[in-house]
Amino acid sequence: MRRREDRGCIFPAVGHGSALCLLFTPACAFSAWGDHSTGMALTVDGVMNWLVQNADALQPSMPDHYLRSNAFYALKARGEIPVAQEVPEELFLKEVLPYRVVDEPVDHWREGFFQVLAPHAMRATSLRGAVEDLVPRIFQELRASPKVMRKPNQTAVVFKSNLTPEMMAPISETLTSGYASCTGSSILIVDGLRSVGIPARLVGTPQWNIPTGGNHNWVEVWTGDGWHFFDAVPDVRLDEAWFAPSNTKFANNKDSTHAILSAEWTKGDATYPLTWRKPAVLWRAEGRTAFYLAKSEQS
């Protein structure tokens, strides 16, 4: 991904009615928190450069003003929301800063999502509590807010099957239509949590290793004591889902088709075949099969 230089105004994409000019300077620096420091300065320019340098060739070339806005609001959340300050620097870069989860169309989502969700995240006393409070709001309040939508709608986002890749972009597709399947719903949640500084990522399997087959994507969130999973629905129940352990216990880490994988911005130890594309796109990933097999044995 190359960075295009554009020093003009930030023009919010879907969901905003007017242009917003923001001044970014190298002095806009934020301190690093957590035990895993990368040694880099967390400035707007610094994190922009990290994002570009670590991008896969599959990522689109984004204009400078988009990257600056994304970096500014990611750092703003980290600096202003108390529970976000618990996040190690490395996790912030890999699982908060990225503006794209898989290969969905890119929307300008971070600013509006932050404006709607940050006041609630400010009150949280733990990352876990923040997740449990925010996810239902992601389904309801983002769609109802003029800070996000050109045409706000008071109805919540609902699940509809078989809508990948038609409904994946968080604003222009999922929030605008009011529905998505597991992939679009997971992307919406991941972006919502990232907008307030909470590490989140999409996890799934290209095909369940069971006779009936099928695929599925869901969400993992980092809450200070490791990664926890939940299905992409408003009722958050960490480490509980219809597919675990009934389906996850059959996952196979020797076969990417039947593995469980987390989609990543940086290069990981695996690739996730995005089977909604023909031919399948091989996306950067981390293998998560061992984690889910261990969870299955504990159930």
Side-chain angles (χ1 to χ4, degrees):
M1 182 189 76
R2 299 185 308 276
R3 172 174 149 195
R4 292 212 312 265
E5 293 296 323
D6 186 336
R7 299 291 176 180
C9 294
I10 290 175
F11 292 93
V14 177
H16 292 76
S18 59
L20 171 66
C21 286
L22 296 178
L23 175 63
F24 299 95
T25 69
C28 182
F30 293 76
S31 299
W33 295 277
D35 298 326
H36 300 88
S37 175
T38 63
M40 66 172 284
L42 292 188
T43 63
V44 167
D45 282 335
V47 300
M48 282 174 61
N49 289 334
W50 183 93
L51 204 59
V52 172
Q53 290 166 7
N54 286 279
D56 189 276
L58 295 172
Q59 298 293 353
S61 175
M62 298 302 296
D64 188 78
H65 66 73
Y66 182 95
L67 295 173
R68 284 185 174 275
S69 177
N70 178 74
F72 177 84
Y73 280 97
L75 289 170
K76 184 175 177 67
R78 183 168 175 83
E80 295 182 4
I81 297 172
V83 295
Q85 296 172 14
E86 302 173 18
V87 175
E89 195 174 293
E90 183 178 8
L91 272 181
F92 165 78
L93 293 171
K94 291 182 176 181
E95 311 291 359
V96 173
L97 179 65
Y99 54 84
R100 202 172 184 221
V101 179
V102 278
D103 65 343
E104 72 275 13
V106 178
D107 284 340
H108 185 105
W109 54 267
R110 194 179 292 268
E111 177 189 353
F113 284 19
F114 173 85
Q115 291 174 351
V116 173
L117 298 174
H120 304 292
M122 296 278 192
R123 299 195 294 266
T125 58
S126 69
L127 286 163
R128 185 187 185 105
V131 172
E132 293 171 342
D133 176 63
L134 290 170
V135 171
R137 299 182 188 278
I138 289 169
F139 279 84
Q140 180 78 51
E141 296 182 20
L142 294 179
R143 194 165 190 246
S145 175
K147 296 175 181 177
V148 175
M149 306 297 295
R150 288 199 182 111
K151 295 181 179 180
N153 191 303
Q154 297 300 316
T155 60
V157 172
V158 298
F159 174 83
K160 286 190 179 182
S161 61
N162 300 320
L163 286 174
T164 305
E166 291 79 10
M167 295 294 164
M168 293 174 65
I171 298 178
S172 60
E173 295 176 347
T174 299
L175 291 178
T176 297
S177 67
Y179 48 80
S181 52
C182 61
T183 305
S185 298
S186 296
I187 291 168
L188 179 65
I189 293 172
V190 168
D191 288 345
L193 294 176
R194 287 179 176 180
S195 76
V196 292
I198 300 173
R201 60 192 183 187
L202 177 147
V203 181
T205 183
Q207 185 177 59
W208 291 121
N209 191 23
I210 57 177
T212 53
N215 54 35
H216 193 52
N217 287 306
W218 58 93
V219 178
E220 281 188 355
V221 62
W222 189 84
T223 62
D225 59 347
W227 289 100
H228 298 272
F229 68 89
F230 63 95
D231 207 13
V233 296
D235 182 18
V236 177
R237 299 186 182 186
L238 295 184
D239 298 328
E240 295 181 26
W242 63 266
F243 52 82
S246 60
N247 290 17
T248 55
K249 66 183 179 183
F250 297 111
N252 184 349
N253 61 10
K254 296 181 180 179
D255 178 1
S256 62
T257 301
H258 299 306
I260 297 175
L261 304 150
S262 66
E264 303 292 342
W265 185 267
T266 56
K267 188 175 181 179
D269 61 5
T271 56
Y272 189 159
L274 304 183
T275 53
W276 53 83
R277 306 296 181 190
K278 303 298 180 186
V281 173
L282 297 181
W283 202 259
R284 288 177 171 181
E286 289 286 345
R288 297 293 290 157
T289 305
F291 171 85
Y292 285 92
L293 291 178
K295 284 284 187 182
S296 299
E297 292 175 359
Q298 297 167 9
S299 301

